[in-house]
């Protein structure tokens, strides 16, 4: 079993839809949870950063962490064509390398 | 633009040649990571520096790979005797002191023919 599992998609939604992206993990030592957005042939861009369980909101983006279930989510409200990208979850226990999911490819259709 | 720069952005080389990549982190960030990303996968850890000290290396980093960070500023990643399996995007990330958020550069895409 991989440390971090992420459905690679692809996921295709109409403009304005609510998008839900998810990762599960097996290592209970993970304490810091990040979501990155990566456009084709570019470096990952940090979108959200959360510590431990709970919710964090930033504009149209909400990150949710449930440590008891080892499950993290990213919600995108009012999705736009410019949101079309690959979304990567990344986890760390602190001063350790990030462990990434495979990424979910999202297409938002106008 | 995160403020992390990488050079070159794309490198095409023939099998057996040596290549060197450079990463310039955000100036006040003292920690730096290198990752490798292949198509359809998330980035995988290669090596980690705190200031000029290389503190951790992945098992992925074979003897053909070497990395340096002289004076704790920019970092270089060298691959000797490149193989086709080295074709990937090489990413560096810098981290501010007291945080765990990693800010990535645009990457260097290596193609070994």
């Amino acid at each position: 079993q991989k440390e971090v599992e992420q459905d690679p998609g692809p996921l295709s939604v109409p403009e304005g839809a609510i998008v839900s992206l998810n990762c599960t993990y097996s290592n209970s030592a993970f304490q810091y949870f990040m979501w990155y957005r990566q456009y084709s042939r570019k470096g990952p861009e940090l979108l959200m950063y959360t510590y431990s369980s709970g919710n964090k909101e930033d504009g149209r983006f909400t990150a949710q962490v449930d440590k008891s279930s080892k499950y993290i989510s990213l919600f995108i409200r009012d999705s736009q064509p410019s949101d079309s990208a690959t979304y990567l979850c990344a986890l760390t226990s602190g001063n350790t390398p990030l462990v990434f999911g495979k990424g979910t490819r999202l297409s938002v259709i106008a | 633009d995160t403020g992390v720069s990488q050079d070159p952005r794309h490198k095409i080389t023939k099998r057996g040649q040596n290549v060197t990549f450079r990463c310039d982190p955000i100036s006040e960030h003292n920690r730096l990571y290198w990752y490798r990303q292949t198509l359809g996968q998330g980035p995988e850890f290669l090596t980690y520096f705190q200031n000029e000290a290389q503190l951790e290396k992945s098992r992925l980093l074979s003897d053909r790979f070497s990395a340096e960070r002289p004076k704790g500023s920019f970092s270089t990643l060298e691959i000797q005797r490149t193989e086709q399996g080295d074709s990937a995007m090489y990413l560096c990330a810098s981290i501010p002191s007291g945080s765990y958020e990693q800010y990535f550069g645009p990457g260097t895409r290596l193609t070994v023919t």
Side-chain angles (χ1 to χ4, degrees):
Chain A
Q1 181 191 12
K2 291 198 74 162
E3 274 193 291
V4 180
E5 300 276 3
Q6 183 177 9
D7 185 342
L11 182 62
S12 186
V13 301
E15 183 176 357
I18 296 174
V19 176
S20 171
L21 304 165
N22 311 293
C23 288
T24 59
Y25 63 95
S26 57
N27 187 349
S28 56
F30 289 137
Q31 297 286 338
Y32 302 90
F33 307 92
M34 288 164 240
W35 285 95
Y36 286 86
R37 177 174 62 196
Q38 187 173 29
Y39 293 111
S40 183
R41 298 179 178 268
K42 305 285 187 190
E45 172 195 5
L46 181 62
L47 276 180
M48 299 288 285
Y49 167 66
T50 53
Y51 167 67
S52 201
S53 282
N55 289 2
K56 183 175 181 179
E57 191 172 315
D58 184 0
R60 296 185 296 110
F61 298 91
T62 300
Q64 209 170 66
V65 174
D66 181 349
K67 289 190 70 181
S68 62
S69 303
K70 296 191 178 68
Y71 189 86
I72 65 172
S73 302
L74 178 71
F75 298 96
I76 307 173
R77 288 184 298 282
D78 186 26
S79 54
Q80 304 294 309
S82 58
D83 295 329
S84 298
T86 296
Y87 290 80
L88 297 150
C89 62
L91 294 72
T92 178
S93 58
N95 269 328
T96 56
L98 291 176
V99 179
F100 283 85
K102 291 177 83 163
T104 300
R105 243 175 56 205
L106 171 67
S107 292
V108 181
I109 312 300
Chain B
D1 183 1
T2 61
V4 180
S5 61
Q6 291 188 245
D7 185 67
R9 295 292 306 276
H10 193 185
K11 178 74 177 177
I12 301 173
T13 192
K14 291 188 174 166
R15 189 162 49 107
Q17 298 294 304
N18 298 346
V19 292
T20 300
F21 311 139
R22 176 179 170 126
C23 170
D24 286 88
I26 297 168
S27 60
E28 60 269 25
H29 291 188
N30 64 338
R31 288 174 287 156
L32 184 150
Y33 281 86
W34 283 97
Y35 293 85
R36 179 171 69 187
Q37 185 178 25
T38 53
L39 205 59
Q41 303 295 321
E44 292 179 295
F45 166 69
L46 290 178
T47 191
Y48 164 58
F49 289 86
Q50 182 164 318
N51 299 311
E52 66 275 10
Q54 187 174 20
L55 296 185
E56 193 173 349
K57 290 195 283 189
S58 163
R59 285 170 297 174
L60 289 177
L61 214 65
S62 77
D63 291 345
R64 297 183 297 105
F65 287 70
S66 63
E68 291 184 337
R69 193 180 181 200
K71 301 177 185 175
S73 56
F74 70 91
S75 178
T76 58
L77 179 69
E78 181 184 15
I79 309 174
Q80 296 183 324
R81 304 180 304 282
T82 51
E83 301 173 355
Q84 285 190 314
D86 297 331
S87 295
M89 172 85 96
Y90 289 84
L91 294 158
C92 80
S94 75
I95 303 98
S97 181
S99 173
Y100 302 109
E101 300 166 65
Q102 297 195 17
Y103 295 92
F104 283 83
T108 294
R109 181 170 298 278
L110 173 67
T111 303
V112 182
T113 61

